[in-house]
Amino acid sequence: LDKYKGIIPAFYACYDEAGEISPERIKALAIHLYEKGVQGLYVGGSSGECIYQNLEERKATLKYVAESLKGQLTLIAHVGAPSTKESVELAKYAEELGYDALSAIPPIYFQLPESAIEKYWTEIMDSTDLPFIIYNIPQSTGYNLSINLLKKLLQNDKLIGVKNSSMPVMDIERFKAAAHDDFIVFNGPDEQYVSGRLIGADSGIGGTYGVMPELFLKAEEFVSAGDFSEARKIQHDINDIIMTLCSLNGSMYSVIKEIYKLKGVNIGSVRGPLEPVSGDDIEKVEGIKTRIDE
Ligand code: HMN
């Protein structure tokens, strides 16, 4: 399970100037991240704008990332979609492409009973031979993974971990405690990477790792070495940067895409209703990039 340990950036949606999926840009971003020395990629999740893309677009993204990096990095495919049918179709496609693992949010829009959520994740798990990682992000989905459901789902050997994006770091500890020793919990909120690791997260999947991989790799190095005071200093720098990213007009994803652009990796902008960076704030992105480079 070592292949899931380390810094795993969430892959961003890559569009051309007309806002359509760009194979060239997908490949360029994949190679760029590979060269930074990260452990793997989480493809087609929140930062991948999954809920704003149709099935063909999501398949194309999975395909071009796999073509660029299969066998070189750990590739996790997020396949959560509005219906079970679509999620299963994506899961099967990811397996054909050679992905290492699958992951999915719970069902969205309708507030379904836990029995329906259990069935949804189980049907995805049963549809392929790949290991599965639950994506828990209650602030967006309205459902917070219960220990009760986690224990039920753990009877299925395919379930190998949870990517936990809830804000209480304590949830990481509770999920670890409820599961077996090999169960992997991925830290979700980048603002809490160091604390997440300290309370038991084995690894991290994050949306801001890609624009500042050096900082997260360094933080991980200090955590692994038990040097918490140095790890905390890096977390402080990371959080200053994230707070600035979030203070500009436009969605955080669009700010991150502007930073990628300044780094020479143009992956286009965001798809509506997400908002692009607007007005004078475009100039402030340069300052954030400088701060990252320091
Ligand atoms: C994904 O699925 O794209 C990411 O793995 C999600 C990840 O947890 C990010 N959350 C969201 O984008 C909602 C965080 O890494 C986030 O980018 C970071 O904590 C900054 O707020």
Side-chain angles (χ1 to χ4, degrees), residues 10 42 45-47 135 137 163 165 188-191 205-208 252-253:
Y42 188 83
S46 312
S47 318
Y135 184 175
I137 181 160
K163 163 176 156 37
S165 285
D190 304 357
E191 302 83 339
I205 294 171
T208 68
M252 188 193 75
Y253 296 159

Side-chain angles (χ1 to χ4, degrees), residues 34-45:
Y34 170 73
E35 287 172 349
K36 295 290 175 188
V38 300
Q39 178 68 31
L41 294 177
Y42 188 83
V43 187

Side-chain angles (χ1 to χ4, degrees), residues 56-121:
E56 293 318 310
E57 294 175 313
R58 294 183 64 178
K59 283 185 177 174
T61 301
L62 288 173
K63 175 172 150 215
Y64 295 121
V65 173
E67 277 181 6
S68 315
L69 294 178
K70 196 175 117 189
Q72 299 189 272
L73 286 188
T74 302
L75 296 180
I76 305 170
H78 176 263
V79 300
S83 71
T84 306
K85 182 170 177 280
E86 289 168 301
S87 307
V88 164
E89 188 173 328
L90 280 173
K92 290 187 165 157
Y93 187 65
E95 181 175 46
E96 269 172 42
L97 291 172
Y99 273 75
D100 295 280
L102 302 173
S103 181
I105 48 171
I108 52 168
Y109 187 64
F110 292 119
Q111 300 301 304
L112 300 178
E114 209 166 56
S115 56
I117 300 170
E118 178 183 356
K119 190 150 186 275
Y120 172 70
W121 277 330

